[in-house]
Amino acid sequence: MSEINFLTGRRASLGKANKQDTLYRRYATIAFIIALSFFVLAIGANIFLTTRLRQANATQQALTTQIADEEPVEVSFLIFSQKLKSVREIYESRSNKQQAIDFFSNVFGDQVFLSGMNYGGEGNELSLRLTSQDVFAFENTLNVLESDEVKNVFSSVSQSGLRRDETGNYSLDIAVELKKERDK
Protein backbone atom coordinates (compact mmCIF):
# COMPACT_ATOMS: atom_id res chain seq x y z
CA MET A 1 0.00 0.00 0.00
CA SER A 2 1.20 3.27 -0.81
CA GLU A 3 0.82 6.12 1.46
CA ILE A 4 -0.32 9.48 0.41
CA ASN A 5 1.15 12.28 2.38
CA PHE A 6 -0.74 15.52 2.02
CA LEU A 7 1.25 17.25 4.71
CA THR A 8 4.49 17.44 2.77
CA GLY A 9 3.09 20.00 0.34
CA ARG A 10 1.47 21.83 3.18
CA ARG A 11 4.67 21.86 5.23
CA ALA A 12 6.64 23.16 2.28
CA SER A 13 4.18 26.02 1.73
CA LEU A 14 4.13 26.76 5.47
CA GLY A 15 7.96 26.76 5.64
CA LYS A 16 8.03 29.18 2.72
CA ALA A 17 5.43 31.37 4.40
CA ASN A 18 7.36 31.18 7.68
CA LYS A 19 10.55 32.34 5.96
CA GLN A 20 8.65 35.17 4.31
CA ASP A 21 7.05 36.14 7.65
CA THR A 22 10.49 36.15 9.31
CA LEU A 23 11.83 38.38 6.57
CA TYR A 24 8.84 40.77 6.91
CA ARG A 25 9.22 40.76 10.69
CA ARG A 26 12.91 41.66 10.32
CA TYR A 27 12.04 44.55 7.93
CA ALA A 28 9.26 45.74 10.25
CA THR A 29 11.59 45.60 13.26
CA ILE A 30 14.26 47.61 11.41
CA ALA A 31 11.66 50.16 10.27
CA PHE A 32 10.27 50.38 13.81
CA ILE A 33 13.77 50.90 15.27
CA ILE A 34 14.54 53.59 12.67
CA ALA A 35 11.19 55.33 13.34
CA LEU A 36 11.73 55.06 17.10
CA SER A 37 15.25 56.50 16.69
CA PHE A 38 13.89 59.44 14.69
CA PHE A 39 11.18 59.95 17.32
CA VAL A 40 13.71 59.90 20.17
CA LEU A 41 16.01 62.28 18.23
CA ALA A 42 13.08 64.62 17.54
CA ILE A 43 12.07 64.65 21.21
CA GLY A 44 15.70 65.21 22.24
CA ALA A 45 16.11 68.04 19.74
CA ASN A 46 12.83 69.57 20.90
CA ILE A 47 13.91 69.44 24.56
CA PHE A 48 17.37 70.85 23.69
CA LEU A 49 15.99 73.68 21.56
CA THR A 50 13.28 74.52 24.10
CA THR A 51 15.93 74.75 26.81
CA ARG A 52 18.09 76.99 24.59
CA LEU A 53 15.06 79.18 23.82
CA ARG A 54 14.29 79.56 27.53
CA GLN A 55 17.92 80.48 28.21
CA ALA A 56 17.89 83.01 25.35
CA ASN A 57 14.64 84.52 26.66
CA ALA A 58 16.07 84.71 30.17
CA THR A 59 19.23 86.37 28.84
CA GLN A 60 17.17 88.80 26.77
CA GLN A 61 15.03 89.66 29.78
CA ALA A 62 18.13 90.17 31.95
CA LEU A 63 19.73 92.44 29.32
CA THR A 64 16.48 94.39 28.86
CA THR A 65 16.28 94.91 32.60
CA GLN A 66 19.94 95.95 32.74
CA ILE A 67 19.45 98.45 29.89
CA ALA A 68 16.32 99.83 31.56
CA ASP A 69 18.21 100.15 34.85
CA GLU A 70 21.02 102.09 33.13
CA GLU A 71 18.68 104.41 31.22
CA PRO A 72 18.89 107.20 33.85
CA VAL A 73 22.69 107.10 33.55
CA GLU A 74 22.43 107.45 29.77
CA VAL A 75 19.95 110.32 30.10
CA SER A 76 22.24 112.02 32.61
CA PHE A 77 25.17 111.59 30.25
CA LEU A 78 23.22 113.04 27.31
CA ILE A 79 22.12 116.02 29.40
CA PHE A 80 25.68 116.53 30.60
CA SER A 81 27.06 116.37 27.05
CA GLN A 82 24.46 118.90 25.86
CA LYS A 83 25.39 121.19 28.75
CA LEU A 84 29.05 120.91 27.82
CA LYS A 85 28.20 121.72 24.21
CA SER A 86 26.22 124.79 25.33
CA VAL A 87 29.04 125.93 27.61
CA ARG A 88 31.51 125.52 24.75
CA GLU A 89 29.31 127.62 22.46
CA ILE A 90 28.92 130.30 25.13
CA TYR A 91 32.64 130.32 25.77
CA GLU A 92 33.38 130.60 22.03
CA SER A 93 30.92 133.49 21.74
CA ARG A 94 32.46 135.18 24.77
CA SER A 95 35.93 134.59 23.40
CA ASN A 96 34.95 136.04 20.01
CA LYS A 97 33.39 139.05 21.73
CA GLN A 98 36.50 139.61 23.85
CA GLN A 99 38.73 139.32 20.79
CA ALA A 100 36.59 141.91 18.96
CA ILE A 101 36.83 144.34 21.88
CA ASP A 102 40.59 143.83 22.12
CA PHE A 103 40.91 144.32 18.35
CA PHE A 104 39.04 147.62 18.38
CA SER A 105 40.86 148.84 21.49
CA ASN A 106 44.21 148.22 19.79
CA VAL A 107 43.19 149.62 16.38
CA PHE A 108 41.62 152.86 17.62
CA GLY A 109 44.27 153.75 20.14
CA ASP A 110 43.97 155.85 23.30
CA GLN A 111 41.85 158.68 21.95
CA VAL A 112 38.77 156.61 21.10
CA PHE A 113 36.93 154.81 23.90
CA LEU A 114 34.46 151.96 23.83
CA SER A 115 31.69 153.50 25.93
CA GLY A 116 28.94 150.96 25.37
CA MET A 117 28.51 147.40 24.26
CA ASN A 118 25.64 145.06 23.49
CA TYR A 119 25.99 141.46 22.34
CA GLY A 120 23.25 139.61 20.46
CA GLY A 121 24.26 135.97 20.83
CA GLU A 122 21.80 134.55 18.31
CA GLY A 123 22.91 136.72 15.40
CA ASN A 124 26.56 136.69 16.52
CA GLU A 125 26.42 140.50 16.37
CA LEU A 126 28.29 142.90 18.65
CA SER A 127 27.14 146.52 18.96
CA LEU A 128 29.68 149.04 20.23
CA ARG A 129 29.47 152.74 20.99
CA LEU A 130 32.68 154.59 20.23
CA THR A 131 33.34 157.94 21.93
CA SER A 132 36.08 160.45 21.30
CA GLN A 133 36.81 164.06 22.32
CA ASP A 134 39.06 164.69 19.33
CA VAL A 135 37.39 165.12 15.95
CA PHE A 136 40.57 164.12 14.09
CA ALA A 137 40.93 160.90 16.09
CA PHE A 138 37.27 160.26 15.34
CA GLU A 139 37.82 160.83 11.62
CA ASN A 140 40.72 158.37 11.76
CA THR A 141 38.32 155.92 13.43
CA LEU A 142 35.90 156.21 10.50
CA ASN A 143 38.75 155.51 8.07
CA VAL A 144 39.83 152.46 10.09
CA LEU A 145 36.27 151.10 10.02
CA GLU A 146 36.36 151.24 6.20
CA SER A 147 39.78 149.52 5.98
CA ASP A 148 40.46 146.04 4.66
CA GLU A 149 41.96 145.04 8.01
CA VAL A 150 38.55 145.39 9.69
CA LYS A 151 36.73 143.73 6.79
CA ASN A 152 39.07 140.72 7.02
CA VAL A 153 38.40 140.25 10.72
CA PHE A 154 34.58 140.68 10.73
CA SER A 155 31.82 139.45 8.44
CA SER A 156 30.21 142.88 8.30
CA VAL A 157 30.63 146.31 9.91
CA SER A 158 27.87 148.90 9.86
CA GLN A 159 27.87 152.41 11.30
CA SER A 160 24.94 154.40 12.61
CA GLY A 161 24.04 157.17 15.01
CA LEU A 162 26.90 159.63 14.59
CA ARG A 163 26.30 162.43 17.12
CA ARG A 164 27.96 165.11 19.17
CA ASP A 165 26.82 165.72 22.71
CA GLU A 166 26.78 168.97 24.70
CA THR A 167 30.27 168.37 26.12
CA GLY A 168 31.78 168.16 22.63
CA ASN A 169 32.31 164.39 22.59
CA TYR A 170 31.63 162.57 19.36
CA SER A 171 29.97 159.18 19.48
CA LEU A 172 29.20 156.56 16.88
CA ASP A 173 27.37 153.26 17.09
CA ILE A 174 28.86 150.40 15.13
CA ALA A 175 27.48 146.92 14.67
CA VAL A 176 29.92 144.19 13.75
CA GLU A 177 29.04 140.64 12.88
CA LEU A 178 31.62 138.27 14.26
CA LYS A 179 32.90 135.60 11.92
CA LYS A 180 31.96 132.10 12.88
CA GLU A 181 34.59 129.36 13.07
CA ARG A 182 33.67 128.02 9.63
CA ASP A 183 33.86 131.58 8.11
CA LYS A 184 37.49 132.02 9.15
Side-chain angles (χ1 to χ4, degrees), residues 123-135:
N124 212 22
E125 187 173 293
L126 180 65
S127 299
L128 300 170
R129 176 165 288 167
L130 304 175
T131 305
S132 178
Q133 293 177 346
D134 185 4
V135 70

Side-chain angles (χ1 to χ4, degrees), residues 20-164:
Q20 224 175 13
D21 286 345
T22 305
L23 185 65
Y24 287 148
R25 204 175 310 124
R26 198 173 282 158
Y27 288 147
T29 305
I30 291 172
F32 177 74
I33 290 173
I34 290 173
L36 184 64
S37 298
F38 281 131
F39 181 71
V40 169
L41 284 174
I43 289 175
N46 186 14
I47 292 170
F48 174 75
L49 292 175
T50 303
T51 305
R52 293 286 300 214
L53 182 63
R54 284 187 189 139
Q55 289 173 350
N57 286 338
T59 303
Q60 179 186 6
Q61 188 64 30
L63 290 174
T64 303
T65 304
Q66 182 181 2
I67 289 170
D69 289 345
E70 292 178 6
E71 184 178 3
V73 173
E74 183 179 356
V75 169
S76 296
F77 177 75
L78 288 174
I79 290 171
F80 180 70
S81 68
Q82 288 299 320
K83 285 180 181 180
L84 282 178
K85 184 178 177 184
S86 297
V87 167
R88 180 183 56 86
E89 289 172 359
I90 290 170
Y91 182 75
E92 284 177 357
S93 297
R94 182 174 176 248
S95 175
N96 289 345
K97 177 181 69 171
Q98 188 63 40
Q99 288 172 355
I101 292 170
D102 290 344
F103 175 80
F104 282 122
S105 296
N106 292 334
V107 167
F108 294 143
D110 295 338
Q111 294 183 345
V112 177
F113 302 101
L114 298 174
S115 59
M117 179 188 68
N118 187 13
Y119 179 68
E122 290 297 320
N124 212 22
E125 187 173 293
L126 180 65
S127 299
L128 300 170
R129 176 165 288 167
L130 304 175
T131 305
S132 178
Q133 293 177 346
D134 185 4
V135 70
F136 298 110
F138 203 72
E139 184 179 351
N140 186 34
T141 300
L142 295 174
N143 292 334
V144 167
L145 287 174
E146 296 294 326
S147 72
D148 288 337
E149 180 182 7
V150 172
K151 290 179 183 176
N152 289 337
V153 174
F154 301 103
S155 295
S156 69
V157 178
S158 61
Q159 307 166 11
S160 64
L162 175 62
R163 60 192 157 281
R164 184 172 185 236

